[in-house]
Every structure is written in C-alpha cells, then in structure tokens.
Amino acid sequence: MLGLACSPEAPPKPVGPLPSARQLAWHPLEYYAFIHFNMNTFTNLEWGLGGESPAQFNPTDLDTRQWARVAKAAGMKGIILTAKHHDGFCLWPTATTEHSVKNSPWKNGTGDVVKELADACREYGLKFGVYLSPWDRNNKDYGKPEYVTLFHLQLRELLSDYGEIFEVWFDGANGGSGYYGGANETRKIDNRIYYEWDTAIEIVRELQPGAVIFSDGGPDIRWVGNEEGRANETNWSIMRRDEIYPGWPRYKELRSGHEDGTHWLPAEADVSIRPGWYYHPSEDHQVKTLPRLLDIYYESVGRNAALLLNLPVDPRGLVHPTDEKRLMQLREQLARDFANDLAAEGTVTVTNHRGNLEEYNGNNLTDGKPATFWATDDGITSASIWVAFESPREINRLLLQEYIPLGQRVQEFIVEAGVAGSWKEIARQTTIGYKRILRFKPVRVDSILVTILRAKGPPALSNIEIYNAPVLLTEPVIRRDKQGRVSLSVPDGQVVVYYSLDGMEPTATSSIYTAPFVVEQPAMLKTMAMDPKTGEQTGIVTRSFDVSKKDWKVLSVSSGNREEADSLIDDDPDSFWATPEGVSGPHEVTIDMGTPIMLKGFTYWPMQERWSFGIITDYEFLVSRDNRTWQAVSLGEFSNVANNPVEQKVGFNPTLARFIKLRSRKVSGEASDNRSSFGEIGIITTN
C-alpha cells in the first residue's frame, strides 16, 4: 500500500476538509424551491404572533401537485416546505399540539399538507425537504425544557412519516415576543444550547441519514449570510465550523467561507421571488424581473452555492400565475445561455497532467463525466488549460468545476482569450469549488487559456464548459425624471432600443435610443428592443407622459419637513415622503406647478416599500389659481389600493389651476400614529 501511495498512478492526496457522502449527493441539486405557505398566508403577515386561530387556515383550492409541476417545469430539483413557522402552526396533524391543520376547516380537519406535498414531489421526481422552526410563539412551554422535548418529537414525526427527506432546514430566528398560550410576553433563550442541537442532529442522522442539515453553521449546509440569493465571488465550501452558532454576529463571513476552514460547509443562498417570503397581494406587481433572477442564478449557482428560491403560495393554495410565468422565463433563458458547449468542439491541452497518464489528462475536462478529472503532479500548484478552436468563436461564458471529493484547492486563476496570436485577459478570480460560472462581454477568440495561479495542492478539475449565450432580450424600462429627461434601459448592452413619440408603432427604421432625451409636454412614447443579430424583438412598451414637473415646488405640508417632501414630485414612484409619527390627520400636501394648467385629473402612487404604511385610501383633491381660494374637484376612495399599490388615476371636469392639494382623509392599516405616505403625485391634462 505504501508503494501505491507513492506511485505516480495514485490520485492526488486530499486537501483540507472533504465533503461527506450526503454533501456530495446534495451539491448537484444546485437549484430548488422554498415554499412559504402557512398561517401567515391567511393573516397577511411575515411573522405571526402565535395567537392565531386554526380556523383562519382555509385554502380554497390547495393543490400541491401544481406546486410540484411548476417547480419541475422551472428546472428545480426539489422543494422545501415551511412545515412550521415561528407562529407554531403545523401543516401536518401532529400529536404535539392542537395548533395544526387537524383543527382547521380545510378538509374538515383531515388534511395533511406535508403528506400531500411529499407525495407530489415523488410523483414529479423531486426531492422533498422540511423547514421546522425551532422558535414557537404559540406554545405555552416555550423557553422551558418541556418545549424542547416537544420540538424533538415534531422533528421525529416529520422525519418518520413522509418518506425520504433530502434537507432539514432550521431558521436562525429564535426567542422574543409571542402569544405563548396566552401569556403574551417576551421570552429569551440561549439558542446555542436551549434546543439541545446535538440531540436534534442525532434524530436526523437516525431517521434520515442521507439528509443534509441547514442552519447558520450547518452542520452540513450553511446560510450564505444574506437573503438576496448572492454569494461572494470568493466562496470557499469550508469554514471553521466550531466558531459558528445560530445568530452568529459575524454572519458576513458566511458569504465567502474560510480559506482555512476545518469542515466542509458549503453555502445555500435563499431568496424570495417577491419582496416578502409569504404571499401578499400588494406584491403582485413586484415579482422579481428576469434580469434580476438571472443575476441571482449567476451569483449563487455560478459562485459555488446552491440556490433556494422561494415561491409564496397564495391563499387559494396555488403558486401565483405571475410567479410561474417569471420562473418559466428564467428556465427558458438559462436553456438558451447553456445550449451549446463550445469546449466540446475544441482541442484541450494542459501544461501538466499527473504521471502523464490518460487517467488524469485534459480530455477528462470535456468528457461529461463528473467522476473523471484532470490533475497535475505532486508539487505542481500552477498549471494551465488551453482550449483551441479550428476557427474563431465568440464566447461570453466560462464554467469550471473542481473535483471536490478531493477537496477545494484553487485559490486564484486567470482567464485569457487568444485573439489573432495575442492574449487578452478577460477575468481574474479566486475560488472555483463545485461550480463557478463567469460572465463577461462577448469576445471573439481563437482559443482560451485558463491558468491556475495558486492552489492548495495539485489542481484537480473535472469540467470546463464554454458558451456564447445569446443577448438577454427584455422589454425596455422607461423612466423620466423631474426635469423631463427620459431614459430607456435594457440589461444587455448589445440590444438595440427603438422608440417613437408620435404614437406610431416603433420599427427598425425608428429612432434608436442612445442617450436620455427630454419630453416636457404630453406625448405617447412607444418603445421596443431588438437583437441586431437575429432580428428578434420584444413586445412594444407604451407610456403616456404628461407635462414635466421641472417647475413644480412643494409649497407646504400639513406636518413634517417640507424640503424632504420633494421626493413626492421627483417623478420616481420608488421614492416617497411620509408625515411624521404622532401627528394626527388629515394630512395634506400643497404643490405649485409654476404656471396655470388645464387639469383633467390627478394621479397618486402609493409607497412602494416592502414594509409600506400610511397608504391613502380616502382622499380629497383641491385646486386653486391663486393659492388662496380653493376648490375641491374630487372626493373619494382609492379602491383596494393597499392590496394593489399601483398608480391611481382619477379624472374630473376640466379645471384651470396653478396650485394643487392632495388631502389624506384615511389611510390603510391600523397604525395608531395615523401617518400618511406619498410615493408620487401627478396630474392628467389629456383624455
């Protein structure tokens, strides 16, 4: 055996911590769904207090097969369900508490969401995982040893009765205010020891030995340190695990891992497709765009992390059609991005391969077999991979994978493009790990050179792929500022944007957008984007502009800082102004438009923040020519504005005015401070 270990035929020695069998099985999953669906779905909250009644849980059309169908069609490999969130309501008929589906009107108390989803996942070939909140704001014994026993029993139920579980997800939020059986108090615990984590881990290992355990510090999978779906460019799959505990204050280190880590602890990046984790009708217009979802994919899966993308199921019990549509767009774009691996068409040469044996040569990098790999001789920690093409190719993506059963090794590498006999650096990066995907501007190359500059041991890579992803063709985003400057933006600089201002449909002979332009008077803008190579184009986006606000001034506000109120006339609905706390209404804003204008209506944008407040539901709109004599021209209600916070448009009989005033008579919610918020106020001068 000693002779074998020293022979050149032996594989490289492992470097650093190595992944377990369960971690090796988890890595290829890469992309799977989080489902937040629980009591909060019906109370329109993110964190319930625990005093909710089981009678409030009553989905009308719950269909877990639809969830599984959507996830499968989206290219996801599994689903993790919030079986119990912080409010303590259990989606299965647990024997540990009455606060569960067994006491809900859904299916007359005979339903089991966990079972239905586990069965649906098996039907669609998906992995199934469970989220079990350690914190329980409903249980009267939370904070005492009795609750820990119950928590462990809940874990046993979930891991015993629903087939194979691939991941057990523990949240880091623990202890605080709650209902606690009617106590309505704050309870603090030491989350490092209270839950008896050693026992919880033993239960998982006993009942689901193949399942990975997620928490801030694992023990198998770590949080990525944010809820944006983004890992750092440097991302080690190893960490000094014994330093980490739930609520660890140095959580930003989770984004990069530790180069000197003691345990294999890869990152999972969690993010919701909407601003919130649970479904809120007010966020129907805030589903993440395709460009944002693509960035999330490349900054998670493309940076050596898994992507856990949350789908907030709605009160019907279905994935919302807007969310489903966006998921399919992402799936289709990724399929286009990775449609044709150019590396397989090239000739691969490496500067060194172990013992000059075929077993470790460069051809293993393009054979499509994860179990084969290229490795260098002992002592060689800097080496190059050269992929040459018979004819020039345009490229903009590079995918690399290390052979992680032997550890993560690469510390720094550089990518160069061979162009007409010279080399051009296109990327300089650090870690690779299980998978690294680089995006860069299109470059036409004869060959590409990847040089490992530093590694912890002989480099061992299993895969290289090269792509020329098509342009990202999305409808232009239209913005106008207070000065009337209009900008049209698309995420891909290769796309050509055409527009018209005369109401005609734009074509390839219309004006090409190159820089912001000024529109001060009413106009109808129509625009579309086109791929100049293929001629493919987007749908046409239309926006009606009214007079610009360049001469507008906020004259007065009923309370608060007048200067800060300028944000409500900056032509940006994403900014806002709100009245101060503790000042009772009604609240109002007075605006000088600078010159008399014949008005035919007004517009109001509600606040667009995730945690919105003070959205005006009942209003009064007044006009004046001299800022002394005022006339009320509209009095009414913005119907359903809290659930659908988009631009509100109100018409009235034509009236000449220079000064306008919007008065808030009533706001949404039950805020005791009665604040009013204004995203944007505008006018209508055309029919």
Side-chain angles (χ1 to χ4, degrees):
M1 294 298 293
L2 181 62
L4 177 62
C6 296
S7 72
E9 292 84 359
K13 294 179 181 179
V15 171
L18 302 180
S20 65
R22 65 179 69 91
Q23 289 169 323
L24 285 173
W26 167 86
H27 271 286
L29 299 179
E30 296 186 4
Y31 174 41
Y32 39 94
F34 218 173
I35 294 285
H36 273 67
F37 175 73
N38 209 289
M39 183 62 74
N40 294 330
T41 308
F42 301 91
T43 58
N44 203 26
L45 296 173
E46 285 288 296
W47 284 13
L49 293 173
E52 299 80 13
S53 167
Q56 294 175 267
F57 183 87
N58 192 21
T60 56
D61 300 292
L62 184 110
D63 184 359
T64 58
R65 295 182 71 254
Q66 186 247 9
W67 309 356
R69 177 186 60 76
V70 169
K72 184 72 172 183
M76 296 171 163
K77 301 293 181 62
I79 299 177
I80 297 175
L81 173 68
T82 52
K84 184 188 82 170
H85 204 250
H86 310 321
D87 55 81
F89 186 77
C90 297
L91 291 183
W92 75 103
T94 175
T96 64
T97 177
E98 296 303 304
H99 198 53
S100 81
V101 289
K102 67 184 179 184
N103 289 314
S104 77
W106 176 61
K107 291 193 172 182
N108 296 317
T110 64
D112 185 338
V113 182
V114 179
K115 182 180 188 305
E116 290 192 13
L117 183 56
D119 291 345
C121 284
R122 278 190 289 272
E123 178 182 348
Y124 282 88
L126 298 170
K127 301 288 186 180
F128 177 60
V130 292
Y131 167 123
L132 179 65
S133 171
W135 187 17
D136 192 319
R137 301 173 95 173
N138 172 267
N139 192 274
K140 65 182 180 61
D141 290 327
Y142 182 81
K144 303 174 183 177
E146 290 84 350
Y147 170 73
V148 179
T149 300
L150 179 146
F151 169 61
H152 290 166
L153 287 174
Q154 290 179 344
L155 184 59
R156 281 192 172 276
E157 288 179 345
L158 289 172
L159 302 186
S160 299
D161 300 338
Y162 300 102
E164 183 179 347
I165 304 294
F166 87 97
E167 182 168 335
V168 180
W169 215 93
F170 293 124
D171 199 297
N174 296 285
S177 62
Y179 174 73
Y180 302 128
N184 290 315
E185 61 189 19
T186 296
R187 297 182 182 179
K188 297 294 184 181
I189 51 93
D190 185 341
N191 52 14
R192 288 176 288 186
I193 60 175
Y194 172 63
Y195 299 108
E196 300 179 17
W197 287 115
D198 288 348
T199 300
I201 292 169
E202 288 175 3
I203 292 171
V204 178
R205 299 293 189 239
E206 171 197 346
L207 299 175
Q208 296 287 341
V212 291
I213 302 172
F214 169 95
S215 74
D216 285 5
D220 298 309
I221 308 299
R222 77 176 193 264
W223 181 42
V224 79
N226 60 60
E227 293 183 346
E228 301 169 359
R230 175 185 294 118
N232 283 354
E233 288 188 304
T234 296
N235 183 19
W236 291 95
S237 291
I238 55 177
M239 292 203 74
R240 299 186 297 275
R241 193 179 70 188
D242 293 342
E243 298 178 8
I244 308 169
Y245 53 87
W248 192 49
R250 289 156 45 198
Y251 63 91
K252 290 184 179 180
E253 295 177 31
L254 298 170
R255 301 174 188 177
S256 291
H258 294 147
E259 186 172 347
D260 61 348
T262 57
H263 292 79
W264 193 267
L265 195 61
E268 179 183 86
D270 58 327
V271 64
S272 184
I273 199 169
R274 293 168 174 245
W277 290 95
Y278 280 93
Y279 177 81
H280 308 289
S282 62
E283 295 176 353
D284 282 350
H285 69 299
Q286 293 180 314
V287 177
K288 286 182 171 58
T289 63
L290 174 60
R292 180 71 193 102
L293 289 175
L294 277 170
D295 286 343
I296 286 171
Y297 180 88
Y298 280 107
E299 293 171 5
S300 56
V301 175
R303 292 181 179 176
N304 190 36
L307 173 56
L308 178 61
L309 181 60
N310 180 64
L311 309 180
V313 168
D314 67 26
R316 299 171 303 164
L318 301 172
V319 176
H320 193 276
T322 304
D323 303 28
E324 180 179 1
K325 178 181 178 181
R326 196 73 81 243
L327 287 171
M328 297 310 114
Q329 290 174 341
L330 176 62
R331 171 67 185 268
E332 290 165 5
Q333 186 63 43
L334 289 173
R336 289 192 288 265
D337 283 6
F338 300 105
N340 183 25
D341 179 13
L342 299 176
E345 302 174 8
T347 301
V348 178
T349 305
V350 293
T351 54
N352 175 278
H353 67 272
R354 195 168 186 82
N356 289 321
L357 297 175
E358 293 296 311
E359 186 177 357
Y360 304 110
N361 72 16
N363 292 331
N364 292 338
L365 292 164
T366 56
D367 65 1
K369 300 176 181 178
T372 63
F373 58 97
W374 160 67
T376 66
D377 287 324
D378 290 338
I380 302 294
T381 57
S382 176
S384 297
I385 306 164
W386 179 39
V387 182
F389 302 109
E390 290 186 1
S391 57
R393 307 293 174 89
E394 189 169 270
I395 65 170
N396 56 20
R397 301 284 190 278
L398 174 68
L399 185 154
L400 298 169
Q401 292 184 271
E402 288 188 78
Y403 184 70
I404 60 171
L406 294 177
Q408 187 176 356
R409 300 159 180 261
V410 176
Q411 298 165 300
E412 184 180 6
F413 68 98
I414 186 173
V415 181
E416 297 172 278
V419 182
S422 62
W423 293 101
K424 174 185 177 182
E425 180 178 325
I426 55 177
R428 183 180 292 263
Q429 289 293 338
T430 52
T431 54
I432 296 175
Y434 172 75
K435 180 172 287 188
R436 187 68 190 273
I437 308 172
L438 302 182
R439 290 186 292 178
F440 43 85
K441 292 182 179 179
V443 56
R444 194 164 182 80
V445 303
D446 305 309
S447 58
I448 188 167
L449 184 68
V450 179
T451 300
I452 310 298
L453 300 176
R454 292 187 301 120
K456 292 183 175 183
L461 271 67
S462 62
N463 191 29
I464 182 172
E465 298 174 17
I466 302 170
Y467 295 94
N468 182 32
V471 299
L472 175 55
L473 192 62
T474 61
E475 295 177 343
V477 174
I478 304 170
R479 294 188 183 277
R480 185 172 73 157
D481 65 16
K482 184 179 179 182
Q483 302 305 316
R485 289 187 296 263
V486 177
S487 62
L488 309 176
S489 61
V490 289
D492 196 317
Q494 299 178 83
V495 169
V496 179
V497 176
Y498 297 92
Y499 71 95
S500 67
L501 288 168
D502 56 7
M504 300 296 291
E505 302 286 287
T507 67
T509 61
S510 300
S511 298
I512 297 177
Y513 176 78
T514 56
F517 52 90
V518 175
V519 177
E520 294 184 351
Q521 298 303 316
M524 177 73 74
L525 170 67
K526 293 190 176 184
T527 180
M528 62 90 170
M530 178 182 291
D531 180 347
K533 294 181 180 178
T534 66
E536 182 183 1
Q537 63 185 55
T538 66
I540 294 173
V541 183
T542 302
R543 178 169 168 184
S544 296
F545 290 119
D546 219 296
V547 295
S548 74
K549 302 177 181 178
K550 64 184 182 68
D551 297 323
W552 288 28
K553 296 179 181 178
V554 175
L555 286 185
S556 65
V557 294
S558 56
S559 60
N561 189 307
R562 182 190 61 78
E563 287 77 14
E564 293 177 356
D566 285 343
S567 61
L568 62 83
I569 56 169
D570 62 1
D571 234 340
D572 179 5
D574 290 332
S575 65
F576 73 95
W577 177 79
T579 57
E581 296 181 11
V583 180
S584 60
H587 303 120
E588 63 184 35
V589 175
T590 303
I591 298 167
D592 178 3
M593 299 184 293
T595 186
I597 300 174
M598 185 63 71
L599 304 180
K600 296 183 179 180
F602 80 96
T603 63
Y604 164 71
W605 266 103
M607 176 198 288
Q608 297 297 296
E609 296 288 299
R610 177 180 179 187
W611 306 113
S612 61
F613 60 87
I615 292 178
I616 299 172
T617 58
D618 292 59
Y619 68 87
E620 185 176 10
F621 191 80
L622 304 95
V623 300
S624 173
R625 298 185 185 187
D626 57 11
N627 197 26
R628 292 189 297 273
T629 303
W630 289 87
Q631 175 189 1
V633 292
S634 186
L635 178 72
E637 175 188 10
F638 297 129
S639 179
N640 199 37
V641 65
N643 286 331
N644 188 31
V646 298
E647 185 180 34
Q648 308 295 303
K649 297 182 179 181
V650 178
F652 48 76
N653 292 328
T655 305
L656 184 67
R658 171 175 169 172
F659 304 91
I660 59 175
K661 181 181 295 185
L662 179 60
R663 179 174 295 157
S664 166
R665 302 175 63 243
K666 184 179 179 182
V667 297
S668 65
E670 302 176 357
S672 59
D673 58 23
N674 195 35
R675 300 179 73 185
S676 296
S677 61
F678 304 77
E680 190 75 18
I681 296 175
I683 58 172
I684 301 171
T685 66
T686 59
N687 293 323

